[in-house]
Amino acid sequence: MTSRRRRVTGRLLFRIGLVCLVQLLLFIMGMDLVRRSALEEPWRRGLERTMAYNVSEWAPLRGQPEALQEALDRVRRRLDMRVSLLGVDGRLISTNTRRDFAPLPPEQLERLGRERVITYTEKSADTPKDRPERLVAVAIPETGPLEAYAILRETKPPPPPTHMMALIGVMLACTAITSLVFAQTLAIPLQRLAGAARAFGEGKLDTRVGMRRRDEFGQVSQAFDEMAERITLLLRSQKELLANVSHELRTPLARIRVALDLANEGDASLARESLADIAEDLGELERLVQDVLTTARLDLTTGQTPGATPPLRRERVEAQVLVDKAAARFRSARPEHRLDVALEPDLPVLEADPVLLRRALDNLLDNAGKYSEPNTTVRLRARVSGGGLEVVVADEGIGIDATDMQHLFTPFFRSDRSRARKTGGVGLGLALARRIVVAHGGSLSLESQPGQGTTARVQLPAAPQA
């Protein structure tokens, strides 16, 4: 595993180093281009003007061979300028170089007569084949018909100053060093992220990156930690599902087995007395399976792709009828509790799945009765709110700890108090109720104080006007 990490890091460093090398090459090419355009070209233009000026000074000396030769030798000694003066017919007038420049052909003479100064190349035995010599021809006189001309070899521009080369070298070294440091700043957090992802994939669910940074790496680290936390909670919930469901199945199945054993022993009277218990136990099993299936069904509803048909059987439902039926079922199921119902007149019509919405209200009322003592009051309120329906279910029960509030809508979660009271259930009631409400475009919120009771508040949108 370590060698693999080193290979990955080495590849990353190699790629970043390669990018830096390309950057350095581009920088050098750019500097060379700048030198050519910003230094050599102006230098050449200045050299041509200097040559033209010197030729204009030599032109009057054509009738004085000795003075002309002395002027050419002087410019050779001081400026290392190699010059030859030729007539229009190609005859050599004077020169300060051992090499004889070839006379200009007629087409170049015609061009020189028009432009007065031209630059051209010429191959010779002293120059490489792929780099011909650059020459400059200057017309004599400056204006008028061409009488003669001077050919001068173009000298090379001076090299960059030594301090400039040193500065470029320092810049290149700094670029290389900063590139390596930058590569390390990328490789180290990426290694950390890869290690955390690999460890989490191996089953170490407590693995977190934990990078506290304000850049993109910090955002990726935070996103990974949040994802890991959600996945861990989901896996823990799924593991608890088997334990919770098996615990809830064990009791009714045991009672059914006892009843069947009694019937098998031939005690008809006890068998008949057990039929009601068997029916009740089968009802509990049916509700448990139905709750699990409904939760999965609503997960498909809230997570479906756009354009898919939601698995809700919507129809227009009178809110007052819905609440009245929920109240009647609660009174029948829990006669030991007092139910205080208050309904505003003219409650809106809902467009909803009546079976699912009735299940949500039943779950809220059942929780209110389950976690409150007998002979206490459960309050059921319904009113118009924001153009929709608001239903409030409040009890005077044991309440909920603040630490459990954030997990109440997690499937299969049960608070410690509910476990201690052996109230039963697998922790699907509130999760299922919320999924049903959200699937109908509404919201479900809880308010609770330990020892004072819990209030559930449901907001549902009204049906559009027909």
Side-chain angles (χ1 to χ4, degrees):
M1 189 66 68
T2 304
S3 60
R4 181 182 177 184
R5 293 179 183 176
R6 288 178 179 173
R7 288 199 302 271
V8 173
T9 305
R11 293 194 197 103
L12 179 62
L13 292 177
F14 173 75
R15 291 175 183 176
I16 295 178
L18 185 61
V19 171
C20 295
L21 179 61
V22 173
Q23 290 178 343
L24 294 178
L25 293 177
L26 292 176
F27 175 77
I28 294 174
M29 293 173 61
M31 291 294 294
D32 183 67
L33 182 61
V34 170
R35 182 179 66 84
R36 291 175 180 273
S37 61
L39 298 179
E40 289 190 8
E41 290 301 325
W43 182 85
R44 285 197 178 101
R45 288 194 293 269
L47 180 63
E48 291 176 359
R49 288 193 295 268
T50 301
M51 291 177 178
Y53 172 77
N54 289 332
V55 171
S56 66
E57 294 293 322
W58 301 331
L61 301 178
R62 283 179 296 169
Q64 307 174 32
E66 295 181 357
L68 177 60
Q69 187 64 44
E70 183 180 354
L72 295 181
D73 293 340
R74 187 166 53 251
V75 77
R76 169 70 183 272
R77 290 192 304 270
R78 295 182 178 179
L79 302 178
D80 193 27
M81 186 180 293
R82 292 166 172 77
V83 186
S84 293
L85 267 68
L86 292 86
V88 178
D89 56 358
R91 177 180 55 86
L92 180 65
I93 299 176
S94 183
T95 183
N96 64 1
T97 179
R98 295 178 181 179
R99 176 192 167 191
D100 294 332
F101 295 115
L104 295 179
E107 59 272 10
Q108 287 190 340
L109 285 176
E110 183 179 356
R111 176 188 168 196
L112 179 62
R114 295 193 308 270
E115 301 179 10
R116 314 309 291 183
V117 177
I118 63 173
T119 301
Y120 65 100
T121 58
E122 181 180 271
K123 293 182 180 180
S124 67
D126 300 334
T127 59
K129 293 182 179 181
D130 57 341
R131 297 184 63 182
E133 192 174 30
R134 291 176 60 89
L135 302 176
V136 179
V138 182
I140 300 175
E142 292 184 67
T143 59
L146 186 64
E147 299 176 3
Y149 58 92
I151 298 178
L152 304 91
R153 193 183 73 175
E154 185 180 79
T155 58
K156 296 181 180 180
T162 304
H163 68 276
M164 180 65 69
M165 297 301 296
L167 179 61
I168 294 175
V170 171
M171 292 174 61
L172 295 179
C174 291
T175 302
I177 294 173
T178 54
S179 298
L180 291 177
V181 174
F182 174 67
Q184 287 290 339
T185 60
L186 289 180
I188 292 175
L190 286 176
Q191 285 180 356
R192 190 169 173 181
L193 286 167
R198 193 173 293 109
F200 191 81
E202 292 172 353
K204 300 176 182 178
L205 300 182
D206 58 342
T207 302
R208 301 293 183 271
V209 181
M211 281 195 299
R212 300 294 181 263
R213 299 171 55 136
R214 296 184 178 180
D215 55 5
E216 286 75 7
F217 283 114
Q219 296 177 5
V220 174
S221 170
Q222 182 179 1
F224 178 88
D225 291 346
E226 292 174 354
M227 177 201 68
E229 190 68 30
R230 289 193 296 269
I231 292 177
T232 302
L233 183 60
L234 178 61
L235 292 177
R236 186 180 296 117
S237 299
Q238 289 178 344
K239 289 179 180 179
E240 291 177 355
L241 170 63
L242 292 177
N244 293 335
V245 171
S246 62
H247 173 75
E248 296 302 322
L249 291 175
R250 188 179 297 115
T251 300
L253 288 176
R255 291 199 298 262
I256 293 174
R257 178 175 293 277
V258 170
L260 292 176
D261 289 341
L262 291 175
N264 190 41
E265 291 175 359
D267 193 336
S269 61
L270 288 177
R272 282 192 298 271
E273 293 176 1
S274 302
L275 289 178
D277 294 334
I278 293 177
E280 182 179 354
D281 292 336
L282 289 176
E284 290 183 10
L285 295 177
E286 184 180 4
R287 282 194 299 273
L288 175 60
V289 174
Q290 190 172 5
D291 283 349
V292 174
L293 294 177
T294 303
T295 301
R297 172 186 168 192
L298 290 174
D299 283 340
L300 292 176
T301 302
T302 55
Q304 64 185 345
T305 57
T309 303
L312 296 179
R313 301 174 181 89
R314 295 178 181 268
E315 59 184 68
R316 297 180 72 83
V317 180
E318 294 286 345
Q320 184 166 357
V321 175
L322 187 69
V323 175
D324 286 339
K325 289 183 178 180
R329 283 190 298 273
F330 179 81
R331 289 192 178 100
S332 175
R334 296 189 179 273
E336 72 277 7
H337 285 79
R338 295 187 298 271
L339 181 62
D340 181 16
V341 181
L343 307 180
E344 285 188 358
D346 300 326
L347 293 179
V349 177
L350 307 177
E351 186 173 344
D353 187 325
V355 176
L356 289 181
L357 209 52
R358 187 163 57 245
R359 175 72 63 80
L361 294 180
D362 288 346
N363 285 352
L364 295 178
L365 287 170
D366 185 61
N367 279 347
K370 187 184 298 183
Y371 298 114
S372 60
E373 299 293 339
N375 300 318
T376 57
T377 301
V378 175
R379 294 175 177 81
L380 176 60
R381 304 283 187 266
R383 67 185 185 91
V384 179
S385 176
L389 174 69
E390 180 184 70
V391 179
V392 178
V393 178
D395 62 56
E396 300 172 353
I398 60 176
I400 304 169
D401 289 334
T403 55
D404 293 334
M405 288 292 292
Q406 58 180 338
H407 302 298
L408 287 178
F409 296 111
T410 302
F412 314 115
F413 174 81
R414 292 190 299 174
S415 66
D416 291 337
R417 286 196 169 197
S418 67
R419 294 180 189 274
R421 288 173 53 90
K422 303 184 184 301
T423 52
V426 293
L428 281 175
L430 285 176
L432 182 56
R434 187 179 194 181
R435 278 168 166 75
I436 293 173
V437 172
V438 171
H440 286 83
S443 62
L444 171 59
S445 61
L446 292 179
E447 301 170 5
S448 185
Q449 291 292 333
Q452 298 182 16
T454 303
T455 300
R457 197 177 306 275
V458 176
Q459 298 279 350
L460 290 169
Q465 297 293 331

